[in-house]
Amino acid sequence: MNKEFNLSNSDAAEFLRDLADSIEKGKVALDGSDWKLYHEISENVPLRIYSDNQGTEIGFKMLRKDRNQT
């Protein structure tokens, strides 16, 4: 899946709340009008912050949980 969105401030905040709830539950469980995403995630979530003169980009990578983890 490869999607980009241009959200209003309130829609971005709602999306981040949904994402935070998913992370706390140990899974990515998100959906939109024409897409769905679900998988269990590992205990660590790598975070990347990049800033330049145009703005700041924040990225999270929810790594799939290793099926051999307990």
Side-chain angles (χ1 to χ4, degrees):
M1 174 185 290
N2 187 12
K3 295 211 175 255
E4 288 190 26
F5 303 94
N6 188 10
L7 304 174
S8 69
N9 287 350
S10 61
D11 287 342
E14 183 178 340
F15 180 83
L16 289 171
R17 281 189 284 274
D18 291 345
L19 182 58
D21 289 344
S22 286
I23 290 170
E24 284 183 332
K25 293 175 183 173
K27 61 188 173 198
V28 175
L30 303 168
D31 60 56
S33 61
D34 64 343
W35 60 274
K36 289 188 182 213
L37 180 63
Y38 177 87
H39 66 80
E40 293 182 1
I41 60 174
S42 70
E43 294 292 319
N44 296 311
V45 179
L47 167 67
R48 178 181 180 264
I49 300 174
Y50 175 78
S51 187
D52 63 16
N53 61 352
Q54 293 181 340
T56 301
E57 180 178 334
I58 300 172
F60 298 92
K61 187 168 188 174
M62 274 65 70
L63 301 170
R64 290 185 186 273
K65 186 173 184 178
D66 182 353
R67 296 189 191 275
N68 296 324
Q69 280 182 323
T70 55

